[in-house]
Amino acid sequence: MQTLLDIIGGILLVSGTTFLMLGGLGLVRMPDIFNRIQAGTKATTLGTLLTLAGIGFMHPEWSVKLLLIGLFLLFTNPLSSHVLARSAERSGVDKTPKTRIDAFAEDHGDPS
Amino acid sequence: MIESMKAGTMTSERDSAKLFASLLIFWIMLNGTLAIDTLIIGVLACLAITYFFRDSLSYLTDFKMTPQAFVAAIKYFFFFLKELVVSNVRIARIVISPDLPINPGIVKVRTKLTSPMGRLLLANSITLTPGTLTVEIEDEWYYIHWVTADATDIEAATNKIVAGFECHLEVMYG
C-alpha cells in the first residue's frame, strides 16, 4: 500500500516540478514584465499544487497542513501578481512590441 | 467597496463571528491538536485578529447561505481546477515552442457581479488562471493582461475570460 502511495506521490512530484521548471523557463523567455508575471508566477500555481499533492501521498499524515498551504497559495498568489502588474502598468513600464491592444492606456492616457 | 461593508452594524457583528470561527478552525487544523493551552492561545489570537480586521472583507462576507450557493461553490471549485490545468498546459506549451507564439494585450471586460467579495474572487480567479492577469479593477470594469489576446472588443473578451467563473459566482455572491 505504502509503495503504491509512494509511486503516485512520485509521479505527482515529477509532474509538479516539470511545471515549475517550465515556469522558470518562461521567466527567461517571455519578452516583458506582464508576460513574465504570467509565466513565472502562475505556470507555477499548478506546479506547486501538484508538488504539495505528491508530498501528501507520500506522507498522508501531513495532508491537512499541505491542504492549508495550498489554500494560502491560492489566496495570496493572485494578490501579489496583481499588485506587481498594477504598479507596472501605472508607472508605464515598456511593453513588448508584440502587444496588440492596451485598453488601459487608451482609457487613462499613456503614463510613459 | 469599504463604505458598503460598514453599512449595518448587525451584519458586521455576524461577519465578525463567522471570521472568528473560521480563523479558529484554521488554527486547530494547523496545529492538529485540541490541547487546552494551544486552544487558549488560538482563541486570543483569533479575537485580536477579528477585532482589528472586523471591517475588512472575508470570504464569507456576502456569501448567500442557500443550498444553491453551496452547490455553485462546489461547481465553481471544479470548474476552477479544470481551467487551472487546461491553461497551465497551454502556457507551458507556449513557453517550450521555439517561436514563442504570444499575442499579448490588455483588454477591458465587464462583470455583472455587484458584491465586493464576488468581484474580488472573480479577479483572483482570472489572475490564477494562467494566460490572464487582472491589472486593474474600476467598478464593474476589469483590465486584463492576456497572453493570447484572441478577442479585443469588450463583449467577446468578457465571454471568453469572465463568463465561465461569473455564472457560478453570481449564484454564490450576487
Side-chain angles (χ1 to χ4, degrees):
Chain A
M1 188 60 197
Q2 187 57 44
T3 341
L4 182 69
L5 287 180
D6 274 350
I7 291 170
I8 299 173
I11 294 170
L12 287 174
L13 269 178
V14 168
S15 44
T17 41
T18 309
F19 274 110
L20 288 172
M21 187 200 75
L22 289 175
L25 185 65
L27 206 58
V28 179
R29 293 204 65 198
M30 288 296 196
D32 66 355
I33 181 169
F34 298 98
N35 292 301
R36 287 203 171 117
I37 292 172
Q38 300 266 16
T41 67
K42 292 182 304 118
T44 57
T45 323
L46 187 64
T48 319
L49 288 180
L50 283 173
T51 312
L52 289 173
I55 302 170
F57 271 100
M58 289 176 165
H59 297 273
E61 68 275 15
W62 294 351
S63 44
V64 176
K65 280 182 194 175
L66 292 169
L67 190 74
L68 291 180
I69 296 174
L71 275 179
F72 269 126
L73 188 84
L74 286 178
F75 275 100
T76 53
N77 184 325
L79 291 177
S80 47
S81 315
H82 168 62
V83 170
L84 281 171
R86 186 163 80 156
S87 43
E89 177 67 47
R90 285 189 175 176
S91 54
V93 172
D94 288 340
K95 294 184 190 66
T96 166
K98 278 187 177 178
T99 307
R100 284 180 67 199
I101 178 178
D102 189 346
F104 187 81
E106 280 168 21
D107 288 3
H108 296 80
D110 204 341
S112 55
Chain B
M1 244 157 93
I2 292 145
E3 285 74 17
S4 66
M5 296 310 307
K6 286 178 177 164
T9 45
M10 278 301 285
T11 50
S12 101
E13 266 167 33
R14 239 182 44 214
D15 284 341
S16 299
K18 282 190 241 166
L19 177 63
F20 176 77
S22 39
L23 283 172
L24 195 62
I25 291 170
F26 220 80
W27 171 261
I28 292 168
M29 279 169 77
L30 208 53
N31 280 283
T33 168
L34 284 169
I36 192 72
D37 47 350
T38 320
L39 272 183
I40 290 171
I41 294 170
V43 167
L44 290 178
C46 294
L47 277 177
I49 296 171
T50 312
Y51 178 75
F52 286 117
F53 294 97
R54 60 191 184 284
D55 292 328
S56 310
L57 286 173
S58 111
Y59 63 96
L60 286 168
T61 317
D62 299 344
F63 189 80
K64 294 183 191 161
M65 290 287 177
T66 60
Q68 289 94 325
F70 281 104
V71 173
I74 293 164
K75 276 191 198 160
Y76 165 76
F77 182 69
F78 281 103
F79 178 77
F80 170 73
L81 280 188
K82 193 200 92 193
E83 283 294 299
L84 191 66
V85 173
V86 169
S87 55
N88 261 293
V89 171
R90 201 181 298 145
I91 288 285
R93 199 179 286 163
I94 290 177
V95 166
I96 52 177
S97 4
D99 57 337
L100 204 66
I102 58 169
N103 199 8
I106 293 182
V107 295
K108 191 176 178 182
V109 300
R110 178 184 208 159
T111 177
K112 286 180 285 184
L113 300 175
T114 48
S115 93
M117 195 55 203
R119 284 180 179 175
L120 176 68
L121 272 184
L122 179 63
N124 276 3
S125 308
I126 291 169
T127 304
L128 269 172
T129 320
T132 50
L133 168 65
T134 314
V135 174
E136 184 73 271
I137 307 175
E138 275 170 7
D139 303 323
E140 64 203 334
W141 303 102
Y142 289 39
Y143 295 93
I144 291 170
H145 182 267
W146 199 359
V147 169
T148 51
D150 316 322
T152 47
D153 64 299
I154 292 171
E155 248 93 80
T158 306
N159 275 335
K160 284 208 161 183
I161 301 175
V162 177
F165 293 115
E166 198 175 47
C167 65
H168 300 304
L169 285 169
E170 205 171 18
V171 185
M172 287 158 67
Y173 292 98

